[in-house]
Amino acid sequence: MSDLIYPTLDLFLYALKSSLNTTDAEIQKNKVAFLAQLPPDTQFNDPDIETEYLELTHPAQIDLISNKKTLGGYYYPVRLNDTYGLQIDCSINNQTETQPAKSFAILKTEIEQELNKELVTIGKTWLLSGWLPENSSQNPEAIAKNCYNALFKDTYWQPEKGTFFEGKVFEIWRSGNINQSREKVTTPSNNHEHHVIIALYPHRESAEKAAEFYKDWMGLFCYRSKISWAYWQSRLVKESLLNHYKQIEDNRKITNLSNSWQEKQSISNSRKILNNIDNILQQYTIDLLNLSFQKQIIEINLSNYQLRLALIQEKAGQNNQLDFLEKFSVLANKKYLPQITKDIENMQLGLQLLEDTINTTRSRIEVEKSERERNFQELVAVAGAGIATVSLVKEPVKDCKDIFKQVHPFCKEYPFSFSLIVGIIVGFVVWSLRKRLR
């Protein structure tokens, strides 16, 4: 049996109130979606001010009313700068008798029934806790694994381990979003983020001391969620940049292929391709700025994460081992930030190459345009010379037909045709001279 007393399940979830280029209408929509998580007639107060931590309701904790009398809990909504945070707590209303590990499945079902499916979250953390019966000989890790299996139907169990107020703490984390392609993303929600912490305490006193840290966990998990979310966003932005680059290369190949076949494109078609490249390049530049923005989000929240964790460790005292929580900041420092920095450098180099491509295409269009204008001027000059000659020769031919008759009878019978031939000859001579003098 994997029994423990007062099994409690807390869900910490986070949603953006505002982000880059968010309109007032979108901010209001995000607020309404978050408010829908709470019971009706909740006194919600969210002033338009910058704040590191703001409790949004009065009272700060709102009772969770369940149809099951054996369950109890509360909602605790806050705002951390530009992010909404919500803790939903649900527990078995019995602090004396042991409960099986499968009780957590009941608690999870109850919490999920309270969730608004339209809320777009950037991250969430499940926190399972309880204390062991007195003089229990059960293996805490075996109990933790059974509790985890009661909630998540997978075989993944490779936890990080620590201690907190004499209790054993286990962390399980993985992200299914990191390698997810842009085409498969149907929502900006970070629902595939999987972060679970299980804390099993030796007695009620240590569990109550640990419960005083819920506000600290609220902040720490928020910074963590924003880091994971920003890195996931950076992967999507990078994929978008690569797609833009490929589109520009495809357009460039079209122009080169046409030239290799000696099939001169029309000016309008060439300009259409150039405009298309310009539009793609504009989106490429926006994505490149967005990539830098995601890096800044990680840097800011990583600093906040490290500061918050240091405060928790100081507040908890030296007998607590929370070093496993530092591994996430190491991951962000050694993988997330260097990866995005390298991506930015590569994409900036790509931007230079794309700009060179556009300049080359634009120069080719201008040369082609100048060549066609020169050819047109040649045509006008030659045609003008020919027409002028025809006009000048036509009347003298009529007047001097007896003279031209001695040259050839054709000149008398067809004076206009004769003058046209003379005009063509003159036009040809003019064309030859212009070509030699060019």
Side-chain angles (χ1 to χ4, degrees):
M1 293 292 291
S2 296
D3 293 337
L4 68 163
I5 301 174
Y6 198 53
T8 302
L9 180 62
D10 290 276
L11 172 62
F12 295 84
L13 59 83
Y14 302 93
L16 286 179
K17 174 184 178 180
S18 61
S19 58
L20 184 65
N21 297 327
T22 304
T23 64
D24 291 340
E26 289 171 335
I27 292 175
Q28 182 62 27
K29 181 180 178 181
N30 294 339
K31 179 179 179 179
V32 170
F34 182 75
L35 184 57
Q37 295 288 145
L38 306 176
D41 302 325
T42 296
Q43 298 182 24
F44 190 82
N45 182 31
D46 183 20
D48 188 17
I49 59 173
E50 292 188 9
T51 177
E52 183 177 350
Y53 197 98
L54 177 67
E55 294 178 342
L56 297 174
T57 60
H58 182 77
Q61 292 183 356
I62 305 168
D63 290 339
L64 186 154
I65 308 301
S66 172
N67 293 327
K68 300 181 179 66
K69 295 183 180 181
T70 57
L71 303 183
Y74 59 85
Y75 303 87
Y76 179 60
V78 299
R79 178 160 67 85
L80 304 97
N81 291 318
D82 61 350
T83 305
Y84 288 123
L86 176 63
Q87 175 193 2
I88 304 179
D89 175 279
C90 191
S91 58
I92 303 292
N93 272 332
N94 189 327
Q95 298 188 18
T96 57
E97 298 178 348
T98 59
Q99 308 292 332
K102 64 181 181 181
S103 299
F104 281 106
I106 300 173
L107 301 178
K108 184 171 185 260
T109 300
E110 185 69 23
I111 289 177
E112 290 180 334
Q113 289 176 350
E114 305 296 326
L115 296 178
N116 175 20
K117 304 302 182 183
E118 295 182 2
L119 183 68
V120 178
T121 61
I122 63 171
K124 60 185 178 182
T125 294
W126 293 95
L127 174 59
L128 296 74
S129 62
W131 64 83
L132 301 176
E134 189 175 357
N135 300 322
S136 173
S137 60
Q138 299 179 89
N139 182 350
E141 183 169 352
I143 298 175
K145 184 176 181 180
N146 288 335
C147 294
Y148 178 80
N149 291 335
L151 295 187
F152 306 102
K153 305 302 181 183
D154 58 43
T155 58
Y156 184 87
W157 179 256
Q158 297 179 12
E160 300 291 342
K161 304 174 185 179
T163 60
F164 192 56
F165 289 104
E166 303 178 69
K168 301 297 182 181
V169 183
F170 307 88
E171 180 189 41
I172 304 94
W173 171 71
R174 66 180 183 276
S175 179
N177 277 336
I178 298 303
N179 298 319
Q180 192 174 4
S181 67
R182 194 178 188 90
E183 289 75 12
K184 294 181 180 179
V185 176
T186 58
T187 171
S189 174
N190 202 16
N191 287 331
H192 292 279
E193 178 77 4
H194 186 78
H195 185 224
V196 182
I197 291 182
I198 304 173
L200 303 178
Y201 302 101
H203 43 70
R204 177 173 179 171
E205 289 74 16
S206 61
E208 289 177 345
K209 288 182 180 179
E212 297 175 1
F213 284 74
Y214 277 147
K215 290 185 179 181
D216 297 290
W217 298 134
M218 175 70 82
L220 187 74
F221 297 154
C222 177
Y223 303 137
R224 190 186 192 287
S225 293
K226 293 182 76 172
I227 292 170
S228 294
W229 178 79
Y231 184 67
W232 174 51
Q233 291 293 309
S234 75
R235 300 305 87 203
L236 298 181
V237 173
K238 179 185 177 182
E239 184 180 352
S240 177
L241 284 165
L242 293 175
N243 288 338
H244 293 323
Y245 190 92
K246 183 178 181 299
Q247 291 176 30
I248 293 177
E249 280 294 297
D250 290 342
N251 279 274
R252 184 184 63 82
K253 290 178 182 179
I254 291 174
T255 58
N256 291 342
L257 186 60
S258 297
N259 289 333
S260 66
W261 286 349
Q262 297 181 349
E263 294 178 354
K264 294 293 185 180
Q265 302 176 93
S266 66
I267 294 295
S268 60
N269 190 41
S270 297
R271 288 199 176 280
K272 182 179 179 181
I273 293 176
L274 183 60
N275 289 336
N276 189 31
I277 293 177
D278 278 333
N279 292 333
I280 299 172
L281 184 60
Q282 183 180 10
Q283 187 59 52
Y284 186 99
T285 304
I286 293 174
D287 280 349
L288 189 55
L289 291 174
N290 192 7
L291 193 61
S292 298
F293 181 68
Q294 300 306 326
K295 179 185 176 183
Q296 292 177 0
I297 291 176
I298 293 177
E299 290 174 339
I300 293 171
N301 286 279
L302 178 58
S303 176
N304 291 334
Y305 181 90
Q306 292 169 331
L307 288 174
R308 176 67 68 176
L309 181 56
L311 289 173
I312 292 174
Q313 290 173 319
E314 180 181 356
K315 182 178 174 181
Q318 297 181 351
N319 293 330
N320 297 278
Q321 297 295 327
L322 298 175
D323 295 346
F324 66 93
L325 293 173
E326 296 177 358
K327 293 185 178 181
F328 179 76
S329 61
V330 172
L331 176 68
N333 261 319
K334 292 189 175 181
K335 178 182 177 181
Y336 292 177
L337 288 176
Q339 180 65 62
I340 298 179
T341 300
K342 189 64 176 179
D343 291 339
I344 292 173
E345 293 174 356
N346 292 337
M347 295 303 129
Q348 285 177 337
L349 178 61
L351 178 62
Q352 295 176 3
L353 295 174
L354 294 177
E355 289 175 340
D356 291 342
T357 297
I358 286 185
N359 291 333
T360 301
T361 305
R362 183 175 287 111
S363 298
R364 184 162 54 242
I365 291 175
E366 293 302 323
V367 169
E368 184 180 342
K369 180 181 178 182
S370 299
E371 180 67 24
R372 294 185 184 187
E373 288 178 349
R374 185 162 48 248
N375 292 338
F376 180 74
Q377 292 172 358
E378 293 286 345
L379 177 62
V380 171
V382 171
I387 292 172
T389 301
V390 170
S391 300
L392 292 173
V393 173
K394 180 179 178 182
E395 295 302 326
V397 168
K398 291 181 180 179
D399 297 338
C400 304
K401 54 185 178 181
D402 291 335
I403 297 176
F404 284 109
K405 180 180 178 182
Q406 297 176 6
V407 178
H408 198 284
F410 178 80
C411 300
K412 176 182 177 182
E413 298 297 330
Y414 305 102
F416 176 76
S417 298
F418 175 73
S419 60
L420 182 61
I421 292 173
V422 174
I424 292 174
I425 294 172
V426 171
F428 178 76
V429 172
V430 171
W431 175 78
S432 300
L433 291 174
R434 288 177 65 90
K435 186 176 182 181
R436 290 183 178 181
L437 294 174
R438 197 189 319 174

